[in-house]
Amino acid sequence: MDATAPALPGRAVLQQRWSGACFLHWRVDPARVEPHLPPGTEPDLFDGSAWVGLIPFVLSEFRFLPLRPVPFVGRFVEINVRTYAKDADGRRGVVFQTLEAEHLLPVLGARAVFGLPYRWAKAAMRTDGDALEYASRRHPGFGDRTRTRIRVVPGTEVVDDDLSRFLTARWGFHERHLGRTIWAANEHEPWPLVRAEVERLDDGLLADAGFPGLADRAPDSVLAMPARHPGVITRFSSARRVR
């Protein structure tokens, strides 16, 4: 995987800043992932395994381009469960299983524009020294009050290897929307990543997304942005049909 994003195939339609990102990943049998992928895609593998991620971060400066940032949104927490797929044209990307977010407007907007499985949740992040602690619980009407609590401590060892790029250098996503499989490309500067340690994980999102038991064992990979990093700007293009 290339750590540098290719040029977007069209103009950017959505922009946001991501900061405080943590990447918890579990190695799984590809057969566990395949039923959760859109038609026209298959599991993208590393070292013969599929991977499931639990990724919390802070989102800010949310805007529909070319408009100014959406007012009253500010900074908010998002926590997603995702896995990875590729299609017949070789495009490799993310498949989101759920995305928890604490502001309703972006939730409704992303569900309408891309069909992404956003859930409105009460979510927050707090810092304790270098440690980042994320928590969320869904609002009624967006699930069964599923919740998570994640505490991660970023280290100082910089990581840029084949696995870290496979898990994080993802330049688009696949989704099933309005009866068709779509692909939307994204671009951002290369992730600044360090190794990290999970100090607490009390999670129901993985099981709710169809991967029971994963949260009962330690992740196979834990990465994070360096402590107090300002974050990266991410842009998305319009979606294109896969099939």
Side-chain angles (χ1 to χ4, degrees):
M1 303 290 288
D2 193 337
T4 302
L8 291 178
R11 72 177 184 88
V13 298
L14 186 69
Q15 178 176 298
Q16 50 197 228
R17 181 183 293 274
W18 294 347
S19 58
C22 304
F23 300 87
L24 285 63
H25 281 92
W26 288 260
R27 183 193 296 267
V28 299
D29 189 292
R32 294 190 65 181
V33 165
E34 192 168 10
H36 301 280
L37 302 182
T41 67
E42 62 182 37
D44 196 4
L45 308 182
F46 183 90
D47 194 24
S49 296
W51 294 74
V52 176
L54 177 65
I55 292 87
F57 62 95
V58 176
L59 191 152
S60 61
E61 302 173 31
F62 180 89
R63 60 191 298 184
F64 295 103
L65 296 171
L67 303 177
R68 296 175 63 84
V70 177
F72 312 115
V73 171
R75 293 165 54 88
F76 64 94
V77 168
E78 180 177 309
I79 304 174
N80 64 64
V81 173
R82 70 191 205 185
T83 188
Y84 306 106
K86 58 183 178 181
D87 61 33
D89 291 326
R91 290 171 295 201
R92 312 171 79 176
V94 172
V95 178
F96 294 105
Q97 305 302 323
T98 184
L99 305 98
E100 317 293 305
E102 64 176 314
H103 271 291
L104 184 58
L105 181 59
V107 166
L108 297 178
R111 286 169 70 106
V113 173
F114 293 122
L116 291 171
Y118 268 94
R119 272 76 169 185
W120 186 29
K122 182 178 181 180
M125 185 272 280
R126 73 179 185 91
T127 59
D128 179 12
D130 289 346
L132 301 171
E133 186 163 340
Y134 288 90
S136 77
R137 183 178 66 180
R138 287 181 191 159
H139 290 293
F142 286 81
D144 57 359
R145 308 304 291 273
T146 302
R147 65 183 68 195
T148 190
R149 184 175 294 275
I150 308 160
R151 181 181 170 91
V152 173
V153 181
T156 58
E157 180 188 351
V158 175
V159 180
D160 181 17
D161 57 24
D162 289 344
L163 179 58
S164 70
R165 291 187 179 192
F166 175 87
L167 297 173
T168 67
R170 291 281 160 174
W171 308 122
F173 66 83
H174 292 93
E175 183 55 67
R176 189 69 172 168
H177 185 42
L178 301 177
R180 60 184 185 176
T181 298
I182 61 170
W183 159 264
N186 68 266
E187 65 175 8
H188 57 75
E189 66 184 72
W191 282 111
L193 295 172
V194 295
R195 298 205 186 278
E197 179 184 355
V198 176
E199 288 193 341
R200 176 177 179 179
L201 180 60
D202 182 9
D203 176 72
L205 298 179
L206 289 164
D208 182 76
F211 301 101
L214 285 192
D216 296 333
R217 62 180 175 90
D220 296 290
S221 171
V222 184
L223 304 170
M225 298 180 73
R228 291 172 287 280
H229 190 278
V232 299
I233 295 291
T234 304
R235 299 177 183 87
F236 294 86
S237 68
S238 298
R240 301 186 173 201
R241 184 172 182 172
V242 173
R243 60 171 292 178

